[in-house]
């Protein structure tokens, strides 16, 4: 399912070794997964956790259009580095395609984390960092994600990240491309 | 507490994404959304960010008082960050 995804989300020789898989598994399953599931139930988001691949799958329904958006989070190395969030097609493929992304959100007074490029531009997304092919060389490495870009969208638990993504999804209309 | 004091205050339930249990808060109707959200965020253990509330589907303006954003006694508000993308 995710060979292309794996290359985009994980491969980064400059970033150093990831933390042990069991550490991520313990953190997610003992601390962050249940709040995320509870939030998802309230928000009407379908959430699936795949412990064998450390992937969190979330399906959003865009309020304005009724269209479904498929968000895949690769949690390898979490929480030393942020998850790699990417919108995919309905078969969880086609990583990095504009047509899978929601259009820029229009929230008065708030800059959207959805832009003109198919990447969620927030410090809690590993794919936004230049080391992972993203636009941001100004944030340092992804291991600095908890302090990167002061004043920007902040989220340091899975539930908070999903809530922020939902925030912009709810004010987005249609697709990016 | 006098009736006038009661009339000037509202009690709401706040939910935070990271928390399994909500918390109840009582504020003056005239408190700014941002100030109330900051207090709520700190109570939930958020150390950073630009918190605001979401009431139903609406993201509330941090600069406005709760009453101007039509927050009423008994409402359930969701804490969300208002920081922008970069």
């Amino acid at each position: 399912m995710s060979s292309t995804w794996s290359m985009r989300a994980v491969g980064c020789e400059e970033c150093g070794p990831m933390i042990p898989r069991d550490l991520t598994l313990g953190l997610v399953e003992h601390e962050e997964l249940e709040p995320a599931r509870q939030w998802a139930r309230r928000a009407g988001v379908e959430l699936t956790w795949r412990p064998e691949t450390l992937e969190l799958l979330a399906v959003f329904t865009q309020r304005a259009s009724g269209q479904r958006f498929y968000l895949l989070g690769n949690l390898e190395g979490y929480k030393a580095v942020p998850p790699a969030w990417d919108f995919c097609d309905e078969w969880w493929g086609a990583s990095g395609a504009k047509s899978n992304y929601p259009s820029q959100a229009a929230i008065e007074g708030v800059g959207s984390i959805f832009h003109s490029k198919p990447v969620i531009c927030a410090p809690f997304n590993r794919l936004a960092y230049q080391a992972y092919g993203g636009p941001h060389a100004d944030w340092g490495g992804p291991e600095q994600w908890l302090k990167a870009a002061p004043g920007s969208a902040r989220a340091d638990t899975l539930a908070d990240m999903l809530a922020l993504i939902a925030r912009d999804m709810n004010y987005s209309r249609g697709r990016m491309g | 507490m006098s009736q006038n004091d009661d009339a000037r205050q509202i009690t709401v339930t706040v939910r935070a994404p990271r928390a399994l249990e909500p918390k109840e808060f009582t504020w003056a109707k005239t408190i700014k959304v941002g100030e109330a959200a900051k207090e709520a965020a700190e109570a939930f253990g958020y150390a950073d960010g630009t918190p605001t509330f979401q009431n139903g589907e609406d993201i509330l303006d941090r600069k406005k008082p709760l009453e101007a954003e039509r927050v009423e006694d008994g409402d359930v508000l969701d804490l969300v960050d208002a920081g922008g993308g970069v």
Side-chain angles (χ1 to χ4, degrees):
Chain A
M1 176 197 88
S2 49
S3 58
T4 303
W5 168 257
S6 295
M7 286 191 291
R8 186 175 189 221
V10 178
C12 173
E13 291 182 3
E14 301 167 7
C15 303
M18 292 291 197
I19 67 171
R21 186 177 181 282
D22 285 348
L23 210 60
T24 297
L25 207 54
L27 168 71
V28 171
E29 295 190 344
H30 294 137
E31 293 185 29
E32 297 200 15
L33 188 57
E34 189 49 35
R37 281 182 170 147
Q38 196 176 92
W39 172 85
R41 281 193 292 271
R42 292 200 301 265
V45 172
E46 298 168 29
L47 199 64
T48 304
W49 168 236
R50 292 187 176 167
E52 64 277 12
T53 53
L54 295 180
E55 290 174 326
L56 190 63
L57 284 62
V59 183
F60 295 80
T61 301
Q62 192 181 61
R63 185 171 67 184
S65 69
Q67 295 183 64
R68 288 161 67 84
F69 289 82
Y70 301 84
L71 179 71
L72 194 155
N74 180 303
L75 271 58
E76 290 191 37
Y78 184 69
K79 201 162 180 168
V81 291
W85 298 107
D86 199 12
F87 282 99
C88 301
D89 62 21
E90 61 188 297
W91 299 283
W92 301 102
S95 166
K98 276 190 176 185
S99 58
N100 296 332
Y101 275 71
S103 62
Q104 187 167 337
I107 309 176
E108 190 172 335
V110 179
S112 176
I113 60 174
F114 305 143
H115 292 319
S116 56
K117 295 183 179 179
V119 63
I120 295 172
C121 258
F124 59 81
N125 182 21
R126 197 185 320 158
L127 299 181
Y129 292 80
Q130 189 180 59
Y132 284 87
H136 284 285
D138 53 332
W139 291 352
E143 68 282 357
Q144 296 173 38
W145 69 288
L146 292 171
K147 296 180 180 176
S152 69
R154 311 306 300 176
D156 60 8
T157 72
L158 298 175
D160 289 304
M161 296 176 210
L162 291 169
L164 251 173
I165 292 167
R167 179 200 78 179
D168 281 27
M169 179 70 71
N170 285 338
Y171 283 80
S172 168
R173 294 177 177 275
R175 294 181 180 271
M176 185 181 292
Chain B
M1 184 177 292
S2 69
Q3 277 189 321
N4 284 342
D5 290 334
D6 282 343
R8 287 196 290 265
Q9 294 194 319
I10 51 174
T11 297
V12 297
T13 299
V14 177
R15 301 184 298 204
R18 67 177 53 182
L20 294 177
E21 297 296 332
K23 292 181 188 292
E24 201 169 83
F25 295 86
T26 298
W27 289 304
K29 291 179 179 179
T30 53
I31 191 173
K32 295 279 174 52
V33 168
E35 190 180 334
K38 183 171 184 294
E39 181 182 327
E42 287 173 357
F44 280 107
Y46 291 83
D48 209 349
T50 314
T52 189
F53 293 126
Q54 183 169 333
N55 193 356
E57 297 179 339
D58 299 324
I59 304 293
L60 304 188
D61 187 336
R62 302 181 78 245
K63 299 186 290 297
K64 293 185 178 175
L66 290 180
E67 61 181 350
E69 289 292 84
R70 294 193 291 275
V71 176
E72 297 178 352
D73 192 70
D75 278 352
V76 177
L77 307 177
D78 288 298
L79 202 56
V80 69
D81 194 87
V86 188

